[in-house]
Amino acid sequence: SLSLSLSPTPNPTRDVDKWPQLFQDLAAANYTAVETPTWVVCGVGPTFAVAHNCPEERKKAWRHALDVSGLQYVAQVHTCGYPIASGSVEDHLVSLQALLLHAK
């Protein structure tokens, strides 16, 4: 199966309204998934935060684009931000838990 990783450059996050067509085009090209960091989906990054917020309307737009295209989402979860904001194991566990909820 094929997949495509969305890079934060040139910034696909600003074109939320174009996600459905982009994802349909990817599906038509036989891609099966979109892999990108949670902060790209949420439009907050790259971020130095241990955890970040994700606006509900962006999550809904992302889910809609996936649903209409049939693509799956492979979430890149960068614990403790990017670049890494903390080396503490406890901070990484807190970050992982928060980011997995976004990836869901």
Side-chain angles (χ1 to χ4, degrees), residues 83-98:
I84 295 173
S86 172
S88 157
V89 171
E90 293 79 19
D91 286 346
H92 279 274
L93 290 174
V94 168
S95 179
L96 179 61
Q97 183 178 20

Side-chain angles (χ1 to χ4, degrees), residues 59-98:
K59 289 193 282 188
K60 287 180 182 177
W62 187 261
R63 174 53 49 203
H64 171 73
L66 291 172
D67 289 346
V68 298
S69 66
L71 295 177
Q72 295 189 18
Y73 175 41
V74 178
Q76 293 178 8
V77 178
H78 300 164
T79 60
C80 286
Y82 177 81
I84 295 173
S86 172
S88 157
V89 171
E90 293 79 19
D91 286 346
H92 279 274
L93 290 174
V94 168
S95 179
L96 179 61
Q97 183 178 20

Side-chain angles (χ1 to χ4, degrees), residues 4 15 17 24 40-41 49 66 91:
L4 174 72
D15 297 324
D17 59 321
Q24 289 173 1
V40 170
V41 175
L66 291 172
D91 286 346

Side-chain angles (χ1 to χ4, degrees), residues 26-45:
L26 293 172
N30 294 318
Y31 286 90
T32 59
V34 177
E35 177 180 357
T36 197
T38 56
W39 50 260
V40 170
V41 175
C42 298
V44 296

